[in-house]
Amino acid sequence: MTTTVAATTGRSQRRVRPRHFLMCPPTHFDVSYAINPWMDPAVPVDRDRAYAQWSAVVAAYERAGHRVDRLEPVPGLPDMVFAANGATVVDGRTLLARFATPQRAAEADAHRAWHQRFGVLYGGLAGARLAEPVAVNEAEGDFAVLSSVVLAGHGYRTSPDAHAELAALTGREVVGLELVDPRFYHLDVALAVLDEDTDQVAYHPPAFSAASQRVLAQRFPDAVIADDADAYAFGLNLVGDGRHVFMPTGAVHLRTELEARGYACVELDTSELLLGGGSVKCCTQEIRSLPAPRTAGPAAGEGEPR
């Protein structure tokens, strides 16, 4: 594991907002088929190494004060480690995934079962706010949640019709962005939310259509721009908590830009997981709870089995 935290003078101005994540161990991780340009079944996977890298991501989150719950892996579903694709939770309302490829379709059942069982812990009372999808969506692979708006990718996996489903469920504006490079088949490898509360993002312009580039430039004039090397290293497949940025190693330019903005970069080796076309964010589904009253609330991590 490579973990580096940058010492930056502006860092003290940034604040961590504790997060709740759902992750799935890579117990059955493998590359036995190819459903994105990064996957090659001819390249062997070191599962022990993948597990160690995944565990390092979990440990980094927990050191920063975030809560991580585990989804039980299912034999025969080698991509379950990429838990971000299983559901989108906003203010306690959950839109389940409907996968675009048959190889991953059964993962939706495991996510449904977890959210039905534990949704009460984040405000989804007995599944009352658990929505079954009609259109194809690959959840946080293509949905990036900001303070009041959701950016939504389409072009390769998630259908534009799913954007309307999420908008209806959450009451938020959903802004569609067209992806045009198959290497960036999900939004979360082309764009990252650095600070959800202040709507700061980073993105790689060539991954998007000209029209979507104009939307991004207008809405986010102070965005961090990732170069080709950053994007090809999966540097944008990161998780930000307002102060820390948990990111894969290798995105040198992006890290420099983030440090200049006052972020503390925590670099993590996810090289084995990259064989499946995913990194830090792909492994991380965020549980955004129903907002609690300011005067009371359960202690972080209370009440749920790990």
Side-chain angles (χ1 to χ4, degrees), residues 27-119:
T27 306
H28 309 293
F29 176 61
D30 199 2
V31 180
S32 55
Y33 48 75
I35 56 173
N36 67 60
W38 307 97
M39 301 175 80
D40 183 354
V43 177
V45 168
D46 185 334
R47 195 171 291 161
D48 290 339
R49 188 176 184 218
Y51 200 101
Q53 292 176 354
W54 177 88
S55 298
V57 176
V58 173
Y61 287 155
E62 293 181 333
R63 281 195 302 271
H66 304 305
R67 171 180 178 173
V68 179
D69 292 314
R70 277 72 165 175
L71 178 67
E72 186 69 23
V74 177
L77 297 177
D79 280 336
M80 274 191 72
V81 64
F82 302 127
N85 303 135
T88 305
V89 183
V90 181
D91 296 336
R93 297 173 173 87
T94 303
L95 179 64
L96 296 168
R98 182 178 177 189
F99 286 89
T101 59
Q103 293 91 337
R104 300 194 66 184
E107 293 180 38
D109 295 334
H111 285 270
R112 177 185 297 104
W114 190 92
H115 286 282
Q116 285 175 335
R117 183 176 182 187
F118 297 117

Side-chain angles (χ1 to χ4, degrees), residues 48-286:
D48 290 339
R49 188 176 184 218
Y51 200 101
Q53 292 176 354
W54 177 88
S55 298
V57 176
V58 173
Y61 287 155
E62 293 181 333
R63 281 195 302 271
H66 304 305
R67 171 180 178 173
V68 179
D69 292 314
R70 277 72 165 175
L71 178 67
E72 186 69 23
V74 177
L77 297 177
D79 280 336
M80 274 191 72
V81 64
F82 302 127
N85 303 135
T88 305
V89 183
V90 181
D91 296 336
R93 297 173 173 87
T94 303
L95 179 64
L96 296 168
R98 182 178 177 189
F99 286 89
T101 59
Q103 293 91 337
R104 300 194 66 184
E107 293 180 38
D109 295 334
H111 285 270
R112 177 185 297 104
W114 190 92
H115 286 282
Q116 285 175 335
R117 183 176 182 187
F118 297 117
V120 67
L121 298 176
Y122 61 77
L125 304 175
R129 298 182 178 88
L130 190 68
E132 292 287 345
V134 176
V136 170
N137 86 79
E138 295 201 344
E140 289 196 312
D142 278 318
F143 293 138
V145 180
L146 296 170
S147 63
S148 60
V149 68
V150 179
L151 304 179
H154 66 91
Y156 294 101
R157 299 292 181 86
T158 295
S159 165
D161 292 338
H163 301 180
E165 290 182 50
L166 188 66
L169 178 67
T170 64
R172 296 197 182 198
E173 180 188 7
V174 176
V175 178
L177 299 170
E178 183 183 12
L179 299 165
V180 295
D181 186 330
R183 291 169 296 186
F184 308 111
Y185 58 96
H186 274 151
L187 183 66
D188 69 359
V189 293
L191 179 145
V193 178
L194 303 171
D195 188 340
E196 182 176 323
D197 296 330
T198 61
D199 288 352
Q200 188 157 59
V201 304
Y203 67 96
H204 182 54
F208 298 93
S209 68
S212 293
Q213 288 183 43
R214 289 193 291 272
V215 169
L216 287 166
Q218 181 178 16
R219 284 183 173 259
F220 306 103
D222 64 341
V224 176
I225 302 301
D227 66 17
D228 288 348
D230 295 328
Y232 301 152
F234 273 64
L236 289 165
N237 198 242
L238 60 79
V239 170
D241 67 10
R243 179 182 181 189
H244 306 99
V245 173
F246 304 90
M247 63 188 298
T249 58
V252 178
H253 168 263
L254 180 60
R255 176 184 167 175
T256 300
E257 291 296 311
L258 294 174
E259 290 174 357
R261 303 286 185 105
Y263 290 99
C265 294
V266 182
E267 290 192 310
L268 297 149
D269 179 8
T270 59
S271 54
E272 205 67 24
L273 297 168
L274 285 171
L275 298 176
S279 186
V280 178
K281 175 54 189 171
C282 286
C283 292
T284 311
Q285 181 183 138
E286 183 165 350

